[in-house]
Amino acid sequence: DDLSALKAWVRDHPGQLATMRDPEGRSPLNWALAKGFVEMVGFLIANGADAAAMDSSGRPPLLLTIEAGQLAVLQKMESVATRAVREEVFPLSPVEFALLKGKVEIADWLLELQPDVKRPCLTGGTLLHLAVRKAPGRVVQRLLTLGVDPKLRDYRERTPLHFAVPIGSELLVA
């Protein structure tokens, strides 16, 4: 199978995993992510795969995994995800990216990694503004618990409550 062959290759070619690319320029990690091979992703990360290697579209593995909605794969990349949510690695925070892509379960898991929830979003507000619109419920509650101020205003002077009232979000209205 593919994982057995990869393990043999890594054993026979120590130190070459990080620079290996297929004819399309994909790293082994990007390839495994595209295929959804959870066990292989874990093996690659543990053996020094380049977790920052961009795909042919210029997207890093972490964002590809979020976009594909592959929580199990993302959990294998926890060390990469933790670094990305705590540092400003991407213009969009991984939590913001997950919410924009409608990946609520992934956004909720990423919040467990203690990101800077008070960092302004590229969408012009806070994660709470975005969560109220895209993921009312558990993510909103978690953000409030993490200390996001529901009175903060976005670039148009709206609070998260502005979005909560029309959709009936009891978490902010109550």
Side-chain angles (χ1 to χ4, degrees):
D1 71 25
D2 289 331
L3 183 57
S4 296
L6 178 65
K7 286 180 177 180
W9 188 90
V10 168
R11 183 187 63 245
D12 296 341
H13 300 87
Q16 294 184 26
L17 186 59
T19 59
M20 183 180 168
R21 299 291 182 270
D22 71 7
E24 296 171 19
R26 294 180 300 185
S27 72
L29 183 58
N30 283 331
W31 180 84
L33 289 169
K35 300 289 184 183
F37 294 155
V38 177
E39 193 175 342
M40 189 178 287
V41 168
F43 172 79
L44 289 166
I45 294 289
N47 284 279
D50 183 0
M54 305 289 183
D55 72 353
S56 58
S57 309
R59 295 175 301 172
L62 182 69
L63 297 186
L64 292 170
T65 307
I66 292 169
E67 187 170 34
Q70 298 175 343
L71 181 58
V73 174
L74 191 61
Q75 289 168 331
K76 290 283 186 183
M77 300 175 65
E78 184 170 348
S79 62
V80 175
T82 300
R83 181 178 161 269
V85 299
R86 292 185 183 168
E87 301 171 17
E88 293 188 18
V89 177
F90 311 115
L92 283 174
S93 78
V95 178
E96 184 178 2
F97 184 75
L99 288 170
L100 287 169
K101 294 295 182 179
K103 309 300 180 184
V104 177
E105 186 178 8
I106 288 177
D108 190 47
W109 181 79
L110 289 167
L111 286 171
E112 292 177 15
L113 303 178
Q114 303 173 353
D116 178 3
V117 295
K118 297 175 183 173
R119 170 185 169 191
C121 293
L122 288 182
T123 54
T126 65
L127 286 173
L128 188 56
H129 285 85
L130 189 56
V132 166
R133 290 181 308 196
K134 300 283 188 175
R138 189 173 61 210
V139 174
V140 170
Q141 184 61 52
R142 188 180 298 268
L143 286 166
L144 290 169
T145 302
L146 290 170
V148 177
D149 184 353
K151 295 176 186 156
L152 289 177
R153 297 183 178 275
D154 67 8
Y155 72 100
R156 293 178 66 191
E157 293 299 313
R158 299 172 297 190
T159 67
L161 185 61
H162 174 88
F163 302 105
V165 172
I167 61 173
S169 177
E170 295 176 17
L171 288 172
L172 286 179
V173 176

